[in-house]
Amino acid sequence: MSTDSGIPDYRGPQGLWRRDPDAEKLVTYSYYMADPEIRRRSWLMRAEIGALGARPNAAHLAVAELERSGTPVRVITQNVDGLHQLAGMPDRKVFELHGSARSVVCTACHARSDMDEALARVAAGEPDPACLACGGILKSATVMFGQRLDPEVMGQAIAVAKGCRVFIAVGSTLQVQPAASLAGMAAESGARLIIVNAEETPYDALADKIVREPIGTALPALLAGIAAP
Ligand SMILES: [Zn+2]
């Protein structure tokens, strides 16, 4: 969904984590908590991604437009870039399974604050900024490797999957659980399942429609066709 916005695909064949195996440590909770050097590099990585200045693309805008036009839309995403909200989707209708890189959270007192603030402190010379409230270790509000998904967000996502009329799985190989299972739950609950992905997925057999074209053009066309009358 976000590669058209210039956000790198971390897990794909050309993904960052394939090119630099050590990069995975930057987003692994145990390494992050244990090693100030990993935290320093992790903040630099966040600053680099932030500097990309990613903007919502045609697909994000089409989703937000569908919602604005009166068709109830909920977004369940594994992306942490917040681009759906920037495109105009209300925050409460976006379920971010892997959290958000637009916020930071204290690992001790759980206070949340803006990523921009933390990155400004990094730029000003604090390589590993501590929580201003309690001095605890700060991290991006994303779900790192070794952390579990937020059960509340996952519960909401399951309710959406079981209650929707159309479930569109976009740009996912549907191989990482439990997120992938949402497509199966939707189909079993009677929703039309539409899969938009360049490659085959394990859920293709359950799909009513499969689209292999690029997301940036395919999704706007698809959504225009399913808008409520
Ligand atoms: Zn704190």
Side-chain angles (χ1 to χ4, degrees):
M1 190 82 188
S2 293
T3 47
D4 279 357
S5 293
I7 301 274
D9 177 3
Y10 296 102
R11 291 176 191 270
Q14 302 300 318
L16 182 66
W17 294 337
R18 298 284 167 89
R19 285 183 281 124
D20 177 8
D22 209 37
E24 195 162 325
K25 288 186 183 172
L26 306 185
V27 289
T28 300
Y29 190 71
S30 55
Y31 287 111
Y32 186 89
M33 293 303 287
D35 186 348
E37 175 60 16
I38 293 287
R39 294 200 290 278
R40 186 187 70 81
R41 288 176 55 198
S42 185
W43 287 115
L44 291 179
M45 176 191 71
R46 295 288 168 205
E48 245 174 65
I49 295 173
L52 296 172
R55 303 294 309 160
N57 62 48
H60 296 107
L61 294 170
V63 171
E65 178 52 35
L66 181 63
E67 160 72 16
R68 248 194 314 271
S69 74
T71 301
V73 176
R74 299 294 181 273
V75 173
I76 301 168
T77 182
Q78 293 170 283
N79 293 344
V80 297
D81 50 46
L83 291 180
H84 283 287
Q85 294 93 320
L86 273 185
M89 275 299 292
D91 210 24
R92 67 193 160 83
K93 296 183 179 178
V94 180
F95 304 99
E96 297 172 305
L97 297 179
H98 292 175
S100 173
R102 295 194 177 263
S103 300
V104 299
V105 64
C106 173
T107 56
C109 75
H110 308 296
R112 281 175 83 99
S113 48
D114 281 348
M115 175 62 77
D116 287 348
E117 265 171 46
L119 291 182
R121 290 172 63 193
V122 173
E126 286 183 75
D128 176 21
C131 174
L132 292 172
C134 79
I137 294 174
L138 287 185
K139 69 179 279 293
S140 120
T142 51
V143 178
M144 289 185 168
F145 291 121
Q147 287 192 289
R148 62 182 196 141
L149 303 187
D150 182 332
E152 195 182 319
V153 177
M154 191 62 203
Q156 290 163 329
I158 289 170
V160 168
K162 290 185 171 171
C164 68
R165 288 173 55 199
V166 182
F167 187 101
I168 311 178
V170 182
S172 167
T173 54
L174 297 176
Q175 282 171 10
V176 179
Q177 297 296 354
S181 64
L182 294 167
M185 282 179 208
E188 279 159 25
S189 303
R192 280 186 72 203
L193 174 62
I194 303 176
I195 294 176
V196 183
N197 197 53
E199 296 129 50
E200 283 181 26
T201 83
Y203 292 87
D204 284 2
L206 287 178
D208 293 284
K209 183 177 173 131
I210 296 172
V211 181
R212 300 277 184 229
E213 278 95 71
I215 295 166
T217 47
L219 194 62
L222 187 63
L223 295 185
I226 66 163

